[in-house]
Amino acid sequence: MMATRMISLLLLAALVCRSNALNPDAGPWVQSTQGEPWPQPNIRRLTNSYYLLRASTFQFNVVGETCDIVVEAIERYKAIILTESRIAKIYSQGHARSSRENATSKGTLTGLDFRVLEPCEKDGNHWPYLQMQESYTLSISEFSTVAHLTAESVWGALRGLETFSQLLFPAGDGPNLKIRCQTIVDRPKLPHRGLLLDTSRHYLPIPDILLTLDAMSYNKLNVFHWHIVDDNSFPYQSSRFPELSAKGAYHPSMIYTLNDIQKIVDYARLRGIRVMPEFDTPGHTRSWGLAFPQYLTTCFDSNGNANGKLGPMNPTDPLVYDFLRDLFAEIVQVFPDEYVHLGGDEVPFDCWQSNPEINTYMKVHNMSRNYALLEAEYMRKLFRVMDSLESKSIVWQEVFDNGVWMPNNTVVHVWTGLWSKELERATKAGHPVLLSACWYLNYIAGGGDWKKFYKCDPMAFNGAKNATNLMLGGEACMWGEFVDKNNVHPRIWPRASATAERLWSNIKQDENEAAQRLEEHACRMNRRGIPAQPPNGPGFCVI
C-alpha cells in the first residue's frame, strides 16, 4: 500500500518538474546533469562504461544483517526505481537515445547485493543517534552484473541506497535506465545534519511533516529539529498536562497527540533520522501561560500596577521547577533521542524588571538588578532537571553569551551575529557546537538564493582544526511566521539541499557545477513527490 501511494505521488509530481536534459543546446538555462548524486560523495571513481537497468527485473539481495529498517528501505527504493523507469519511458518518446561519447555498454545490471555488517540493534539501540556510523561503499563494477553495497551499520546502508538511486538516469530506450560503472567510498563530513521546522507559528499537518522527512532522507539530512511550541501556540498534547494544548493550541484539530508523535518518530527512524524536540524557555512561553499563568511573570506598568500582560517564566517560583521536571520527564520518554533542545534565546528582561517581587528576590540574593544573572539561575536549575532525567541539552547561543554555567556536554547552537567568532569562543570553552546562522531559510532573496547557503563552510572559524570533535554540524532553519502547508516545501527545497551538501561533503565543488547537479536533484525530488522550487531560473524537467 505504501509503495502504491508513493508511486502515484511520484508520477503526479513528475508532471511539474523542470530540466533541460532533453535539449542541452537550448537556453538560456542551467544544463542539468544526468546520474549525478547530491550531496556529492567524498570519494568517487568513475569509468567510461555503463550498464542498463530494467526496473521490472532488478533485484535487491540482502546478504548481511536485516531488520525492519532494511526491509522498508528496499520497498521504498524499489518503488522509486519503478517510477524512474516509467518516467524514462515517457522521456524516450520522440527523442533520440541518450548516449555518452566513447561509453561502453557492459550489458544489464541485474541486482544489488546489500550487506550490513552490524546488527540493526547494536547494543540494544535501534534508534538513530549522534555519531551513528553512516559510511558505505558502493561498487558498480565492469566485471560483475551485480552491484555491491556494503555498510558497517544500517544507517550507512540507507545513505548508500539513496546514492545508488540517484545514479540512475533515462537510457533513452523505453523504460530502461542507465548507470555508470563506478566505485564510491563515502562518509559524512559532520554527524549532525539537521532541519528545523517550526510548528507553533503555523500548524503543519502530519502528512507534511512526513513528506519533509522523506525529503530529508533524499538529502542525507539526519536530524529533524522539531520546534514544536512557542509563544504563538502549544500543539503538543501532554498526557501529564493536557491543559497546555487544550488552551494553548490554535484549535483542537491542530494538536500533535502522543500517537501522532510516535508515528513521526517511527517514520523518521526508518529513514535514519533523529527527532529532536525543542521546548524553549524561559522566554517564548506565552502559549504556556494560557493554561498555567501562575508560572509566568506578571508584568507591571510604570505606576506599579499589573498591566494584564505575562512575561517569561518566573525563575523565583520553586513550583516552576517542579512543573518543568514533570513535563520534561514525559518529554524524554516520548522522544527517544538523547538530546532535548532547551531554547534559552531572546529572553525579554523588561517584564522581570517591572515586577516588584522579582526585584525583591534579586536584592535578597545579591543579583544587583542584573537580569542575566536571574536567567543564569533559571538555566542552571533547568540543567539540573535534565541531568536528573539523564538527558543531554542543546541551547541557543544567548545562554552561553550571558555567561551561564553549563555542563561541559551542553551544545551551543549558534544562530546570529558573527558566527565564526561565536563558534571559536564556544569551542575554546570546551562546548560542542551547531551552526545555523548562515542557513536561515526564512530569509529569502530573489533568484537562486541557494548559493548563499552553499557558500557557508561550517569549519570556517579559527581553531576549527583543533575542534573537530566539538563541531557537531548544523541545521537549516525553517521558521514558521510566513509558511504553512501551502508553501513550506518549496521554501525549504532545494535551498536546504545546499546546507545538506556543506554538512556531508568534504569536497567543495564549483558553484556552476553544483548548479547543474542541483538542477537534476530538484527534478529528482519533484519526481518523488517533493514540490521543490526551481533552483536556477528557467528550465524544465524530463517530464
Side-chain angles (χ1 to χ4, degrees):
M1 180 183 227
M2 181 184 296
T4 303
R5 174 178 172 271
M6 177 179 285
I7 291 170
S8 298
L9 281 172
L10 302 183
L11 286 172
L12 178 64
L15 298 176
V16 295
C17 295
R18 312 151 314 282
S19 175
N20 49 354
L22 289 178
N23 190 1
D25 297 323
W29 52 51
V30 172
Q31 181 175 345
S32 172
T33 54
Q34 288 188 307
E36 291 295 315
W38 191 285
Q40 188 181 40
N42 285 295
I43 298 176
R44 187 183 186 201
R45 293 186 289 272
L46 285 161
T47 76
N48 207 28
S49 302
Y50 68 89
Y51 284 101
L52 295 179
L53 185 150
R54 296 187 175 95
S56 59
T57 59
F58 186 79
Q59 296 292 318
F60 289 90
N61 309 307
V62 180
V63 294
E65 296 284 343
T66 189
C67 61
D68 62 333
I69 300 173
V70 172
V71 172
E72 291 276 353
I74 288 174
E75 289 304 309
R76 288 198 307 276
Y77 284 100
K78 280 182 180 178
I80 285 172
I81 292 173
L82 281 169
T83 300
E84 292 288 349
S85 175
R86 294 181 186 186
I87 294 170
K89 183 176 181 179
I90 301 170
Y91 163 82
S92 68
Q93 294 173 1
H95 296 279
R97 179 190 300 266
S98 172
S99 63
R100 292 178 181 270
E101 291 184 8
N102 303 319
T104 304
S105 172
K106 307 302 291 186
T108 301
L109 192 69
T110 60
L112 174 67
D113 280 357
F114 184 101
R115 183 184 297 274
V116 181
L117 302 179
E118 294 178 349
C120 291
E121 295 191 25
K122 185 181 180 184
D123 301 325
N125 182 14
H126 67 293
W127 299 102
Y129 57 95
L130 182 69
Q131 304 293 357
M132 59 185 167
Q133 175 61 260
E134 295 177 278
S135 63
Y136 66 91
T137 299
L138 177 62
S139 175
I140 301 115
S141 170
E142 297 173 289
F143 308 107
S144 173
T145 59
V146 176
H148 295 271
L149 171 61
T150 303
E152 290 290 329
S153 78
V154 67
W155 317 118
L158 290 175
R159 310 307 174 223
L161 272 175
E162 177 57 37
T163 296
F164 178 81
S165 74
Q166 294 184 8
L167 302 178
L168 302 170
F169 59 98
D173 181 16
N176 290 332
L177 300 170
K178 203 180 234 187
I179 188 168
R180 291 186 67 184
C181 296
Q182 58 193 285
T183 299
I184 292 174
V185 181
D186 203 11
R187 61 181 300 172
K189 177 179 181 178
L190 294 166
H192 184 122
R193 306 179 307 280
L195 172 68
L196 177 148
L197 269 190
D198 170 10
T199 58
S200 174
R201 274 72 179 218
H202 284 95
Y203 173 84
L204 292 175
I206 293 168
D208 289 285
I209 294 176
L210 300 183
L211 189 63
T212 300
L213 292 170
D214 284 333
M216 289 176 65
S217 73
Y218 304 150
N219 289 272
K220 296 188 176 72
L221 294 173
N222 67 356
V223 182
F224 171 41
H225 177 172
W226 194 351
H227 190 88
I228 191 167
V229 301
D230 208 292
D231 281 330
N232 312 86
S233 71
F234 198 104
Y236 170 79
Q237 188 179 63
S238 166
S239 59
R240 178 69 178 82
F241 302 104
E243 309 97 312
L244 283 166
S245 60
K247 296 182 178 180
Y250 283 131
H251 186 270
S253 66
M254 296 181 180
I255 59 171
Y256 303 106
T257 67
L258 298 186
N259 286 338
D260 294 334
I261 293 170
Q262 185 64 52
K263 179 179 181 179
I264 290 166
V265 168
D266 284 341
Y267 196 90
R269 177 183 71 92
L270 292 172
R271 288 151 182 79
I273 297 171
R274 299 161 49 201
V275 179
M276 181 185 73
E278 179 182 354
F279 287 79
D280 193 355
T281 67
H284 293 278
T285 51
R286 283 198 297 270
S287 66
W288 305 47
L290 297 174
F292 295 105
Q294 66 270 31
Y295 296 142
L296 302 190
T297 303
T298 300
C299 305
F300 289 76
D301 61 24
S302 58
N303 296 319
N305 299 315
N307 62 13
K309 296 180 180 179
L310 296 174
M313 288 193 163
N314 185 347
T316 68
D317 184 356
L319 295 179
V320 165
Y321 303 100
D322 294 336
F323 163 70
L324 291 171
R325 183 176 293 105
D326 290 342
L327 178 62
F328 279 104
E330 175 187 312
I331 289 166
V332 299
Q333 293 299 315
V334 171
F335 294 92
D337 199 67
E338 61 185 319
Y339 284 91
V340 175
H341 203 302
L342 302 179
D345 63 313
E346 299 179 321
V347 180
F349 292 158
D350 55 339
C351 186
W352 286 349
Q353 188 175 3
S354 74
N355 186 292
E357 291 184 4
I358 284 184
N359 284 309
T360 299
Y361 176 92
M362 294 181 69
K363 184 176 182 180
V364 169
H365 290 82
N366 298 316
M367 293 185 184
S368 64
R369 296 181 67 83
N370 183 343
Y371 298 94
L373 294 177
L374 189 62
E375 176 197 14
E377 179 177 288
Y378 172 89
M379 293 303 302
R380 280 198 302 271
K381 291 180 179 179
L382 184 54
F383 287 136
R384 291 193 193 107
V385 167
M386 301 312 293
D387 185 60
S388 71
L389 299 173
E390 298 182 346
S391 178
K392 297 176 183 177
S393 301
I394 299 177
V395 293
W396 296 111
Q397 69 186 65
E398 287 95 324
V399 179
F400 173 74
D401 291 342
N402 290 340
V404 177
W405 174 88
M406 299 186 292
N408 287 336
N409 63 358
T410 303
V411 179
V412 177
H413 195 165
V414 175
W415 71 275
T416 189
L418 295 174
W419 59 263
S420 59
K421 294 293 185 183
E422 196 77 23
L423 293 176
E424 179 184 357
R425 289 178 56 245
T427 53
K428 281 185 176 178
H431 288 291
V433 292
L434 294 171
L435 176 63
S436 285
C438 49
W439 294 317
Y440 264 43
L441 303 176
N442 52 305
Y443 296 159
I444 301 171
D449 71 341
W450 64 270
K451 291 183 179 180
K452 70 182 182 184
F453 303 120
Y454 196 77
K455 292 178 188 293
C456 181
D457 179 0
M459 301 303 291
F461 64 94
N462 289 335
K465 290 183 179 179
N466 298 322
T468 53
N469 62 319
L470 296 175
M471 167 42 81
L472 302 182
E475 297 177 356
C477 295
M478 187 69 261
W479 295 102
E481 286 87 349
F482 299 100
V483 293
D484 62 10
K485 65 179 182 179
N486 298 298
N487 65 342
V488 66
H489 302 295
R491 286 283 178 90
I492 296 174
W493 310 109
R495 300 160 80 233
S497 302
T499 304
E501 181 151 297
R502 290 281 62 81
L503 293 169
W504 179 278
S505 302
N506 278 305
I507 305 166
K508 188 170 183 179
Q509 194 169 40
D510 174 83
E511 285 180 16
N512 293 327
E513 294 175 323
Q516 293 181 286
R517 287 190 300 110
L518 190 58
E519 189 74 20
E520 178 184 10
H521 187 53
C523 287
R524 181 186 295 131
M525 286 192 285
N526 283 177
R527 293 196 298 271
R528 297 182 183 189
I530 310 301
Q533 70 179 22
N536 300 304
F540 61 94
C541 268
V542 170
I543 190 73

